[in-house]
Amino acid sequence: MKRQHSSYAAAASSESCIALIDSRFLAWLQGQADVAMDTVRAQLFPMLGSAMAHNGLDVNLRRIYWYSDATDEHVQEGQIARQVLPHSQDGGLSMLRALGADLKRLAERGAVDHILVGSDDERLISLIDEAQL
């Protein structure tokens, strides 16, 4: 009985997290084209959870925001799809604006303990710095 209580207490004490993921960056990390990202997106919760646990982060991943120029045909539980323009059309500006707006809202509202940003867009650095304040 004591053992079950300890596991429950550990699970209940983990901090909350929301991930903001740039699909182009994840495709680059995976070495895949955006069209092959449906499979990766379906496995995103366990993949990110495993990566965070492997790095010693005890967080409860509550939601994933997915920024992509691909048409969202599949609803993924716990994921919010944000449609952005293709990088070739606007240089990633629509992704920057959408991700930045979500980051700002989450930080201002204190919605979670941690926000995981998965992007290589250096223009996000000032927005991340602002959110950390």
Side-chain angles (χ1 to χ4, degrees):
M1 179 107 162
K2 203 173 200 181
R3 187 178 213 172
Q4 290 174 344
H5 179 70
S6 299
S7 341
Y8 174 74
S13 70
S14 67
E15 297 178 327
S16 59
C17 179
I18 289 180
L20 310 178
I21 305 296
D22 174 357
S23 66
R24 290 186 74 247
F25 176 64
L26 191 58
W28 176 79
L29 283 176
Q30 295 284 320
Q32 299 178 16
D34 278 335
V35 292
M37 292 306 290
D38 284 343
T39 306
V40 173
R41 186 172 169 217
Q43 298 300 316
L44 211 45
F45 262 102
M47 183 175 68
L48 290 175
S50 176
M52 289 186 290
H54 181 71
N55 287 289
L57 298 172
D58 179 24
V59 295
N60 175 18
L61 184 58
R62 292 179 32 202
R63 189 173 305 122
I64 297 171
Y65 287 68
W66 179 257
Y67 305 88
S68 176
D69 60 4
T71 304
D72 182 50
E73 296 179 14
H74 304 289
V75 174
Q76 299 289 337
E77 187 175 341
Q79 293 187 29
I80 297 171
R82 298 279 198 237
Q83 183 82 31
V84 297
L85 292 173
H87 193 270
S88 60
Q89 285 185 5
D90 73 347
L93 192 57
S94 60
M95 189 284 304
L96 176 71
R97 286 182 179 153
L99 194 150
D102 288 334
L103 176 64
K104 182 178 182 189
R105 265 192 305 276
L106 290 168
E108 286 176 347
R109 293 179 180 156
V112 289
D113 300 306
H114 302 278
I115 300 173
L116 171 68
V117 177
S119 178
D120 62 348
D121 193 325
E122 293 179 357
R123 297 173 292 183
L124 288 168
I125 293 172
S126 63
L127 298 172
I128 294 168
D129 290 343
E130 180 75 22
Q132 289 177 333
L133 292 175

